[in-house]
Amino acid sequence: MVTFLIAAIGIIVVMFLVINANEANKRKETQENIASLIRSAPEFNTTRSIEISGDLVLLINDDAKQICILRPNIKKVIGFDQVIDVEYIVNEDTVASKSTLNTIGRAVVGGVLAGGVGAIVGGLSGKTKTESKISKIAVKVLIRDLDFPAMNITYFDCKTLPDRKPVSPDSIFCESANLQAQDFVNTMSIIIDEGKRMGISVPQEQPQMLPDKPSIADEIKKLANLRDEGILTQEEFEKQKASLLS
């Protein structure tokens, strides 16, 4: 009996060490991927960075009001004024958002997640909603760019868990994901505000029409094609169409 207990304890210890080693290897691999992405970036004066995952990093230049989006096959620089909308999504429902397409006063989204997880605060519109079980926490960012119209970032998905079942809002998975999502949404909210001010303080001087410059109608047709192909939802199509017409 004693021999059996010792063997069982030994197996548990070995499993614990293996799991820790695997997690350490994953963290190391993620950091190496992030470092590789940053090294591959074009010349960009970075004042701060947001490391979302091993294959998505945002570099921010607060002075030039620009964002550099880094993915393995994408290196794109956009202005703050090209960020149209940010949405905080819980269980496929948008519970808070901020957009350049309307005027939003200071608001507090209370009780988005139950169990003391907290809510996004400041400059966001939203609806009070309490969730008993959480299956997904995500953020969507819409960008005024036909080549890269949206970023979809998942911070928690119950499908990655062994039992694939939704969890309580106060679970460690939700708390960690919610904090990361809130930090990112709050940062994008500030960027949207800065982008709005850019449009107010610096009037855009449009050059004379050039033969090769696409018209607004052409831009809308491209958006419609992206919608028909399923890349954009109808709501995203309407938002970007409204932005082009504004």
Side-chain angles (χ1 to χ4, degrees), residues 26-41 49-59 70-72:
K26 287 181 181 178
R27 287 193 296 270
K28 182 179 179 181
E29 182 179 356
T30 298
Q31 290 302 315
E32 289 175 350
N33 290 339
I34 290 172
S36 177
L37 279 177
I38 294 175
R39 285 195 301 270
S40 70
S49 62
I50 303 175
E51 299 171 356
I52 296 171
S53 65
D55 61 358
L56 177 58
V57 177
L58 301 186
L59 306 180
L70 296 177
R71 275 185 164 160

Side-chain angles (χ1 to χ4, degrees), residues 101 220 223 236-246:
L101 304 181
I220 293 175
L223 286 173
E236 292 166 351
F237 167 77
E238 294 296 341
K239 285 182 178 180
Q240 296 213 34
K241 177 182 174 183
S243 175
L244 288 171
L245 295 174
S246 61

Side-chain angles (χ1 to χ4, degrees), residues 148-160:
F148 194 80
M151 278 192 297
N152 296 285
I153 305 165
T154 300
Y155 287 92
F156 168 72
D157 191 334
C158 68
K159 293 179 182 178
T160 62

